[in-house]
Amino acid sequence: MPSAIDTERIWKRNARRTAWAANCFWWLQRFLPFFLGLNLASAVAVIYARQQEWPQDRIVAIYAAVLVVLALIALGLAWRRFLSQRDGMLRLEQHLGLKSALSAASEGAIAWPPLPEQLSVPYQFRWGNITTPIAVSATLLLIGCLIPVETVRADVVIDNPKQPMAWEELEAWVEELTEDEVVEETALKELEKKLDELRQQPTETWFTQSSLEAGDSLRDQTQQDLQKLAQDMMKTSALLDAMRQAGDEPFSQEAMALEGALQKALEGMQLGTTPLSSEMMEQLKKMGNSQSCQNIDLSKYKLVKGTLDENAQKLCKLAKLNPDALEDMILMACQMPGNGGIDRGPGAAPLTASPFESRVTPASVEGVSNEDMRNAALGQTLAIQDRAPDENEAGEAFIIKTSQGSDSLGQGGDVVWKNQLSPEERKLLENYFQ
Amino acid sequence: MIEPTTLTEQSAAEAAQALKGLSAAVNEVLFGQETLIETVILALLSGGHLLLEGLPGLGKTELVRTFSRTLDLDTKRVQFTPDLLPGDITGNPMLQEKDGQRTFVFQEGPVFTNLMLADEINRASPKTQSALLEAMQERRVTVMGITHDLPYPFFVFATQNPIELEGTYPLPEAQLDRFLFKLTVLSATRETLEKIISARILGQEPVVRKSMTGEQLLRISQMTSKVYLPDVVKSYIARLVHGTYPNPDTAAKVIKFGASPRAAIGLASAARARALLEGRVHASVDDVRAAAPYVLGHRIIVNYQDRMEGVTPESFVAKLLTEINPEEAELPKTLAAAKIQ
């Protein structure tokens, strides 16, 4: 038999336990809706996090923090309804049918009643109200964790994300050009910088229309520049050959023309957006005139020329330059006059009169020119004349007869040069020379 | 005057035993009225007055007479009629000549007794009914400026017939409030009737066994006032009485006037008496719940509209007892409420 003190202690302990159990369930009742909502949101968040490949420990930490906050909020809401020890004692005595004996005993009115054989918490737990939200929450979380999800960005993609084709080509060009040292280093860095600017965009926007267009534009522009450089290099190579073969007449018109063309080509290679490497440019500049070209050591000339050709070939291959166009380029460089075109430049027509002796060989092409038109025959100058179109006669002058005989109007504002005379001009000139 | 008696668990058990004897003695005469008899005993222990309502012939008068005889108390019966005057109850000063001098001598009325049976009290005029007010509340009467104390103990057991309402005067609220209990005497069951037929012969008074003296009843009654009322019980009584006040949000929305503080005092006394009847030295909320319908029922007035819809004071009190629990703090829905035995 427990003593009176023990009996009191046991009764009070059970009263506290009764109140504590009720308070726990109060808290649970407040917390479970939050818990259910949290897990519903967490399931969605877990799916999203798995798609984004977020670190799991961070997700768990955020979940735990939110859980603690919600638990505290639920505690605050349930606090006002918490049962005191006195309430617990009242519940206990009602449950045991003690007819307020515990309340009277706690107030010192009577002795504590004897303890029953079995003391149980006076509640019937409604487990369904508790387990259902927990089970639903667990199911939601499991669904969030186990449902198959396609990751948006894999680890490999994060380290080296797949990039548009144009960028890859540009990257390959930069790498190869840097290795070959064909193009000036600063130009390559500038190109890399532009490429990096494109890469700094959010990964999601890499394949948008605007990004792809920007990449393609940069690639096309670079390709054109490289093609131009390759053309200039091939032209330079051809001009060097021509100058080497021009002989000992550095001041001949042909040599002068070749030299001018070479200077122009060198200038083009130097001023482009992808200029030739400064080292190569220095070597080429040393051979930039006929005299120096003739005087340079053959082995050194061959070395420079070989390097230039080799680099030009590489560049042509890199820039996807058409080989046919390359041959035409070489031919055009060697046969400067008579090729037509607005950029053919000055040069002697083949077999024209010249104050200097020419070395006409079967293998060479001689340009003949006569710039003094004062003594030229009428038919020599009458056939070719450049002039700006007269605006007054634009309506008729721009009517071009096509081979099919149909008329086509010129485009307004286009400035064209016509290589034929109008009937009025021709009549005027004939009258003048008569 | 009887000396106050200290209350111990032993004395409470002895009192409970004696009260059981009283109950048994009355039950030997009145069959099938155990609850009614127990409630009457509670009224006697509490020192309260009793209003018995029921059809004629159900044993109301017999109940009072049986108690008076078994307790060996002085009993007087007054049949209330419309022409009954207050003096007929309280007593009248009579002019007497003695030694050649004429003086008024107060002639005590039937109220000067221990147990007064006011039969069909609602048939007397309000003036006569009011004559009982002072007697019931202060246990004394004042005639011609002279106050006369009533004998101790003094109980009024009144009866009224609920069906013959023609020519009756319903008791005013002030007088109703002075009755501790209002009890409804129900018709006997078939088994009870068989017992009555077997035991009783028309015209013969039943033999009533004396089980307790008036002095013993007084001693036990004094013990009642010493029964401990725990705080939770006090709180419950207060909440119950407060719950009868008109409130649109609770069961009391049907109430026009609620119970008075006198009802709270009466309910506490009844709870104490019931605890002693069960041999306990402390009252419980169960005692309050058991006594509440008899204490509160006649003290509240239901709205006319709700009364027409069938709401009675008794049904309201039953609803009140389900609405207001002894445990003030409610339980969460995740728990079933503690089982009340």
Side-chain angles (χ1 to χ4, degrees):
Chain A
M1 277 291 286
S3 65
I5 296 173
D6 288 341
T7 305
E8 178 182 355
R9 187 169 48 80
I10 292 169
W11 277 121
K12 285 184 175 176
R13 188 179 62 200
N14 277 280
R16 279 196 300 272
R17 188 179 297 171
T18 302
W20 185 84
N23 295 342
C24 279
F25 279 81
W26 263 123
W27 176 80
L28 264 180
Q29 185 167 310
R30 295 293 185 196
F31 175 68
L32 284 176
F34 290 133
F35 185 63
L36 190 61
L38 171 66
N39 285 310
L40 181 62
S42 297
V44 177
V46 163
I47 292 172
Y48 183 73
R50 287 174 58 209
Q51 283 181 331
Q52 300 296 325
E53 295 278 318
W54 286 354
Q56 290 182 357
D57 53 347
R58 189 186 300 172
I59 297 169
V60 171
I62 292 171
Y63 178 83
V66 176
L67 194 68
V68 169
V69 170
L70 291 179
L72 290 175
I73 291 172
L75 186 67
L77 291 175
W79 189 270
R80 67 191 70 171
R81 290 183 178 273
F82 274 7
L83 269 59
S84 65
Q85 182 180 328
R86 179 189 155 183
D87 296 327
M89 194 168 284
L90 182 57
R91 297 270 171 192
L92 196 60
E93 68 189 6
Q94 290 277 28
H95 171 65
L96 297 172
L98 293 174
K99 296 185 182 295
S100 305
L102 294 179
S103 297
S106 66
E107 292 167 20
I110 60 169
W112 286 92
L115 292 165
E117 289 183 3
Q118 283 189 337
L119 257 176
S120 59
V121 176
Y123 299 123
Q124 295 166 352
F125 302 103
R126 291 178 179 167
W127 290 111
N129 289 6
I130 301 162
T131 53
T132 303
I134 293 173
V136 172
S137 299
T139 308
L140 286 172
L141 278 182
L142 275 177
I143 289 171
C145 293
L146 300 179
I147 194 171
V149 169
E150 187 178 350
T151 54
V152 173
R153 290 186 295 184
D155 286 341
V156 178
V157 177
I158 289 170
D159 294 338
N160 183 18
K162 187 176 173 66
Q163 56 187 3
M165 187 73 77
W167 301 4
E168 288 181 354
E169 284 185 63
L170 282 167
E171 195 174 14
W173 290 351
V174 170
E175 191 176 341
E176 200 163 335
L177 289 171
T178 307
E179 191 179 339
D180 294 340
E181 296 179 348
V182 180
V183 178
E184 185 62 27
E185 193 178 353
T186 52
L188 291 176
K189 285 186 176 175
E190 187 66 26
L191 187 59
E192 276 185 327
K193 189 180 172 185
K194 289 179 180 174
L195 197 55
D196 285 341
E197 283 177 3
L198 289 174
R199 282 203 187 107
Q200 282 170 4
Q201 297 175 99
T203 318
E204 297 80 22
T205 62
W206 281 8
F207 290 91
T208 57
Q209 180 70 20
S210 58
S211 175
L212 290 173
E213 279 184 0
D216 288 348
S217 175
L218 183 61
R219 181 198 57 191
D220 293 345
Q221 182 63 43
T222 307
Q223 188 178 16
Q224 286 176 11
D225 291 343
L226 291 176
Q227 285 178 350
K228 173 77 169 44
L229 181 61
Q231 286 175 3
D232 287 341
M233 287 172 75
M234 293 305 297
K235 190 188 285 184
T236 304
S237 176
L239 288 170
L240 285 174
D241 278 343
M243 286 175 68
R244 189 78 179 180
Q245 290 171 2
D248 302 331
E249 295 176 3
F251 300 108
S252 66
Q253 192 174 7
E254 181 186 0
M256 293 292 285
L258 288 171
E259 191 177 320
L262 181 62
Q263 288 299 327
K264 193 174 180 182
L266 288 176
E267 191 178 338
M269 286 193 294
Q270 194 173 10
L271 297 178
T273 51
T274 52
L276 192 65
S277 68
S278 53
E279 188 182 351
M280 177 65 79
M281 184 59 72
E282 286 297 319
Q283 290 177 349
L284 289 175
K285 278 182 178 176
K286 286 177 184 173
M287 300 187 294
N289 54 57
S290 303
Q291 199 169 0
S292 57
C293 187
Q294 293 290 337
N295 294 338
I296 199 166
D297 185 45
L298 183 61
S299 60
K300 192 176 179 182
Y301 171 78
K302 282 185 176 177
L303 180 65
V304 174
K305 176 76 168 40
T307 307
L308 185 64
D309 288 342
E310 187 184 353
N311 287 339
Q313 291 291 339
K314 285 180 181 176
L315 214 53
C316 285
K317 191 178 176 183
L318 197 69
K320 299 171 185 173
L321 195 60
N322 190 357
D324 296 336
L326 201 64
E327 287 179 6
D328 292 345
M329 183 70 63
I330 296 167
L331 187 62
M332 186 180 70
C334 296
Q335 299 177 338
M336 291 180 59
N339 281 336
I342 59 171
D343 58 346
R344 67 183 182 273
L351 298 175
T352 52
S354 171
F356 304 103
E357 182 185 358
S358 61
R359 291 177 181 177
V360 180
T361 60
S364 64
V365 179
E366 179 73 14
V368 178
S369 65
N370 183 12
E371 292 179 348
D372 186 4
M373 293 298 170
R374 288 172 299 181
N375 298 321
L378 181 61
Q380 287 177 311
T381 56
L382 196 62
I384 300 170
Q385 183 173 355
D386 295 341
R387 77 174 184 91
D390 190 350
E391 293 179 359
N392 296 327
E393 55 184 337
E396 296 175 0
F398 287 108
I399 296 174
I400 300 169
K401 295 287 183 183
T402 62
S403 58
Q404 287 80 20
S406 61
D407 293 344
S408 66
L409 291 172
Q411 297 296 315
D414 285 351
V415 176
V416 297
W417 292 83
K418 293 197 300 180
N419 291 331
Q420 69 179 63
L421 296 172
S422 64
E424 290 81 5
E425 289 172 335
R426 189 177 185 87
K427 189 176 179 181
L428 181 65
L429 282 174
E430 283 174 350
N431 291 336
Y432 179 77
F433 284 108
Q434 279 175 358
Chain B
M1 192 71 183
I2 297 169
E3 291 298 319
T5 308
T6 55
L7 182 64
T8 61
E9 290 188 7
Q10 187 181 353
S11 62
E14 289 172 0
Q17 191 65 32
L19 292 170
K20 278 191 180 114
L22 172 64
S23 179
V26 178
N27 272 313
E28 288 173 3
V29 179
L30 295 168
F31 303 113
Q33 302 284 3
E34 289 81 5
T35 307
L36 180 67
I37 292 166
E38 185 179 299
T39 314
V40 173
I41 293 173
L42 293 184
L44 290 172
L45 293 178
S46 305
H49 309 290
L50 205 62
L51 177 62
L52 294 165
E53 188 176 82
L55 296 172
L58 291 181
K60 298 186 290 291
T61 309
E62 190 65 33
L63 175 76
V64 178
R65 288 178 61 194
T66 306
F67 265 102
S68 66
R69 286 155 66 185
T70 191
L71 290 170
D72 197 18
L73 294 175
D74 180 51
T75 305
K76 285 181 180 161
R77 174 182 172 173
V78 179
Q79 184 66 43
F80 279 52
T81 55
D83 58 351
L84 191 72
L85 295 174
D88 297 335
I89 299 170
T90 58
N92 289 307
M94 304 295 288
L95 189 63
Q96 284 189 350
E97 187 173 350
K98 190 176 182 181
D99 300 332
Q101 289 186 341
R102 290 180 179 177
T103 55
F104 279 105
V105 178
F106 180 66
Q107 186 71 38
E108 292 179 347
V111 77
F112 287 85
T113 183
N114 295 120
L115 186 57
M116 176 185 171
L117 174 59
D119 214 0
E120 296 192 273
I121 190 172
N122 57 339
R123 293 200 177 277
S125 64
K127 185 179 179 183
T128 308
Q129 290 170 2
S130 298
L132 274 176
L133 281 177
E134 186 185 11
M136 291 172 74
Q137 180 63 31
E138 301 177 16
R139 288 183 163 79
R140 63 186 182 187
V141 291
T142 303
V143 179
M144 291 187 68
I146 300 170
T147 301
H148 305 274
D149 289 331
L150 297 178
Y152 188 82
F154 173 72
F155 301 105
V156 174
F157 282 14
T159 69
Q160 64 178 8
N161 188 340
I163 56 169
E164 296 173 2
L165 298 177
E166 192 175 350
T168 61
Y169 302 91
L171 291 174
E173 280 72 28
Q175 191 159 357
L176 277 175
D177 197 30
R178 279 162 175 76
F179 287 103
L180 177 63
F181 293 158
K182 179 187 174 188
L183 303 176
T184 302
V185 184
L186 301 175
S187 301
T189 60
R190 196 184 72 179
E191 291 78 13
T192 306
L193 285 172
E194 286 176 2
K195 276 188 183 177
I196 293 170
I197 293 165
S198 304
R200 299 287 293 274
I201 297 172
L202 188 64
Q204 282 190 1
E205 285 290 321
V207 179
V208 179
R209 176 170 54 88
K210 288 189 180 357
S211 64
M212 186 184 290
T213 63
E215 192 175 338
Q216 283 177 307
L217 179 67
L218 284 173
R219 188 179 291 114
I220 295 173
S221 181
Q222 285 184 340
M223 287 167 68
T224 302
S225 62
K226 296 187 186 320
V227 171
Y228 184 73
L229 209 61
D231 291 341
V232 290
V233 180
K234 293 176 195 168
S235 167
Y236 187 47
I237 291 170
R239 284 190 289 124
L240 273 181
V241 174
H242 189 265
T244 64
Y245 297 164
N247 187 336
D249 298 327
T250 63
K253 61 187 174 189
V254 300
I255 298 300
K256 187 176 181 184
F257 296 109
S260 64
R262 189 181 283 126
I265 298 168
L267 194 52
S269 296
R272 284 192 174 102
R274 190 171 182 275
L276 193 62
L277 190 63
E278 293 188 354
R280 283 182 279 115
V281 296
H282 65 276
S284 76
V285 290
D286 300 331
D287 301 323
V288 177
R289 294 175 71 87
Y294 311 120
V295 176
L296 299 177
H298 61 289
R299 287 184 160 98
I300 53 181
I301 298 173
V302 178
N303 285 326
Y304 178 78
Q305 179 68 32
D306 294 300
R307 202 162 59 233
M308 290 299 104
E309 291 176 1
V311 179
T312 62
E314 289 74 22
S315 66
F316 164 73
V317 174
K319 193 174 179 183
L320 186 71
L321 288 172
T322 58
E323 189 177 272
I324 298 176
N325 291 313
E327 308 89 357
E328 195 169 358
E330 59 178 319
L331 284 178
K333 289 177 183 173
T334 44
L335 289 179
K339 193 188 296 179
I340 298 171
Q341 296 179 349

